[in-house]
Amino acid sequence: MNETMNGAVLTRYNNIEWQQVPVPEIKDTEVLIRVGFAGICGSDQHIFSGEFHPRTTTPMIPGHEFAGTIVETGKNVRNYKTGDRVAVDPIIPCGKCAACEIKHYPACTSLKLLGVDMDGGFAEYVAADESMLYKLGPEISDRHGALVEVLSIGFHAVNRAGLKKDDTVAIYGSGRIGHCIAQAARTKTDNTIYMVDILPNRLDIAQKAYDNIVTINSRDIDPVAFIHEQTGGRGVDVAFEAVGHAHPVENRIHPVRGCVQSIRGAGLVCTLGLSDEPAPLNMKEFIWKEARIVSSRVSHGEFAETIHHMSLGHLKPDTLVTGEFFAGKAQEAFEILDKDPQNNLKILLKLT
Ligand SMILES: [Zn+2]
Ligand SMILES: [Zn+2]
């Protein structure tokens, strides 16, 4: 094994450089992975700009969405061997907090992520514990394997929501997470999915990619009124909020409240958008429906379910990808994502 490798190193915030760095040393329960592809996540954009400071410091190698081939195994690794192709669940729960005690790992109070709290997959090689690995069959490319993590967030959300066959769905936000929810939801219900956003290009991507989807540009149309009109006044069974940092839209209510207003009596809202701003809720609207709100943060073992559906061709991973760059050009990729959210969902970095 070479002692050095190339990696996209965030040398200081807003500056990522292709540099020679040491190959990570593996512990006895870890494997060394030759990364094929890695995806740039919204959190990577926050890390890039320094918004995660002091949780992140520089220099660091980001990247928590990736897939590749095992090239070395630690001496206590049992279930994987050199040559196995894997996707890596980046979540590292503390194992000790109250949430971990009941094995509810996404809610771990000191949850760490490979590629956020330690060096990750925007490099030729990365080390990962055996417990974080999921095997990829030959029918799943590294390119698609790098999208398992983000798609598993969609599966976790629909599982948190208990989405059932024939449920109608509203998804506020047609960014990466909104698309992943739509793809996961499509494996559970054939009924109508309403997707709401203000960026027409993102809605177009959804309109073309998914069956039985109705896209709503909330700049032009009031989504709540439209959904009620379309459902005969009933509302949808489940609404997902995946907007996050909501830009106020004139004459429209906040998306979380929009979700509550969009569901039927006794319906459910699942929120994913991470916003620092409080979301205004009208408790009367909420309580009169005896509605439930659940939240969904990361994934919880949904890698297996995602890989299963990906192998069977039930997902549309390519729909998420709007760009592909050699990892040496990571700086350019980050700048494009920042400047042009309208025309970009996921950008993949190629490491081999
Ligand atoms: Zn991510
Ligand atoms: Zn914990």
Side-chain angles (χ1 to χ4, degrees), residues 92-101 104-105 107-111:
I92 306 167
C94 79
K96 296 185 196 99
C97 72
C100 283
E101 263 173 30
H104 194 118
Y105 300 122
C108 171
T109 47
S110 35
L111 191 70

Side-chain angles (χ1 to χ4, degrees), residues 172 241 243-244 246-247 253-260:
Y172 281 73
E241 185 278 314
V243 176
H247 299 288
I253 54 172
H254 188 281
V256 172
R257 191 172 168 203
C259 282
V260 174

Side-chain angles (χ1 to χ4, degrees), residues 7 24 28 34 54 75 90 118 124 130 140 165 168 170 191 197 211 227 232 252 284 288 296 312 338 344:
D28 292 346
R34 177 73 170 100
K75 68 172 195 287
M118 61 212 69
E124 288 175 326
E130 178 180 30
I140 298 180
K165 196 176 178 300
T168 48
N191 214 333
D197 206 290
D211 298 331
I227 286 167
R252 303 287 180 257
K284 193 169 161 188
W288 278 37
S296 185
L312 294 172
D338 199 42
N344 279 291

Side-chain angles (χ1 to χ4, degrees), residues 168-180:
T168 48
V169 174
I171 302 170
Y172 281 73
S174 70
R176 290 168 284 232
I177 298 300
H179 276 266
C180 290

